[in-house]
Amino acid sequence: MKNIVLFGPPGSGKGTQAEVLKDKYNLVHISTGDVFRYNIKNETPLGKLAKSYMDDGNLVPDEVTIDMLKAEVEKNMDANGFIFDGFPRTESQAESLDAFLSDKGETINGMVALEVAEDLLVERLLNRGLTSGRTDDQDVSKIRNRFNEYQTKTAVLQDYYDAQNKYFGVDGVGSIEEITDRICLIIDKL
Ligand code: AMP
């Protein structure tokens, strides 16, 4: 399997790139944010639990998120590999993912991180909020809280994967195609 973590702050373009990359490399794309939104829309118990956290721009608790992610992977064990988008977001999630994959004789091949300055991210998110219908994209204080969650809980994962020589930063500013090309240069070598 080829297992890639697509990393970066909210609005850095992970979802957009994952959609292109999953076809190019024939991988299964798992976006934990999308799975949560699906559950909210369908009013499942998981959706009801996640909603209050997501509405405020807070991370959903690890245990719930990790169990959900594992279930998504288990559904697709015949895949060529996975693109993880929006997961892991905490060190505990990263450790669980490593242990879970290792039990299956698999590993994360690399983390590709989209690097974009925060001012540009706010602009992108507010623009996306005009059409996405996502309330967490429409309110500057919620957006700032998401960045705060990212800085305090998620950004450390750069060091986590760097320590395993698996961290690859990419300039996330440019056209969608330009950024895809930059990412592919990395993925092709993994
Ligand atoms: P996203 O679509 O990746 O921007 O995620 C939207 C929201 O879903 C986040 O602000 C969190 O509330 C929640 N979420 C998504 N992925 C995770 C995760 N790995 N851990 C905790 N919460 C998450």
Side-chain angles (χ1 to χ4, degrees):
M1 278 187 175
K2 198 175 255 200
N3 297 312
I4 310 293
V5 174
L6 207 50
F7 190 68
S12 56
K14 301 186 292 294
T16 304
Q17 291 299 330
E19 282 301 309
V20 182
L21 296 168
K22 72 165 190 191
D23 291 335
K24 185 170 159 79
Y25 293 98
N26 192 21
L27 302 173
V28 171
H29 170 205
I30 301 181
S31 155
T32 40
D34 283 351
V35 181
F36 281 133
R37 281 185 287 277
Y38 176 85
N39 277 277
I40 290 174
K41 199 167 141 218
N42 289 286
E43 298 182 351
T44 68
L46 175 63
K48 283 178 191 153
L49 193 153
K51 190 174 179 343
S52 60
Y53 296 97
M54 290 177 72
D55 277 350
D56 291 338
N58 291 321
L59 292 188
V60 178
D62 277 340
E63 203 185 304
V64 178
T65 309
I66 291 166
D67 285 351
M68 180 185 87
L69 187 278
K70 287 182 181 174
E72 291 297 314
V73 171
E74 297 283 5
K75 278 188 220 162
N76 293 286
M77 274 317 288
D78 54 348
N80 255 342
F82 294 91
I83 301 180
F84 297 105
D85 157 13
F87 186 97
R89 260 177 156 103
T90 63
E91 197 151 337
S92 153
Q93 291 181 14
E95 285 164 357
S96 298
L97 181 61
D98 274 350
F100 175 65
L101 289 178
S102 151
D103 280 350
K104 299 186 176 307
E106 297 292 340
T107 189
I108 291 295
N109 299 77
M111 165 187 266
V112 180
L114 295 169
E115 297 167 347
V116 182
E118 188 166 317
D119 288 354
L120 194 55
L121 291 171
V122 176
E123 199 182 303
R124 281 190 189 178
L125 289 169
L126 288 170
N127 267 328
R128 184 171 76 183
L130 298 174
T131 52
S132 70
R134 284 181 56 172
T135 49
D136 61 345
D137 283 345
Q138 292 165 351
D139 178 325
V140 175
S141 70
K142 288 180 186 178
I143 290 176
R144 293 277 174 214
N145 193 41
R146 286 159 71 198
F147 287 138
N148 187 46
E149 290 280 80
Y150 180 81
Q151 288 307 338
T152 54
K153 298 176 184 166
T154 308
V156 290
L157 294 182
Q158 171 168 352
D159 294 340
Y160 181 91
Y161 285 95
D162 208 21
Q164 302 181 30
N165 294 319
K166 290 180 179 173
Y167 179 88
F168 303 92
V170 163
D171 179 2
V173 183
S175 69
I176 292 175
E177 295 76 16
E178 279 164 355
I179 298 165
T180 306
D181 289 346
R182 290 172 201 154
I183 299 173
C184 290
L185 283 176
I186 295 165
I187 295 186
D188 286 341
K189 289 189 210 137
L190 293 176

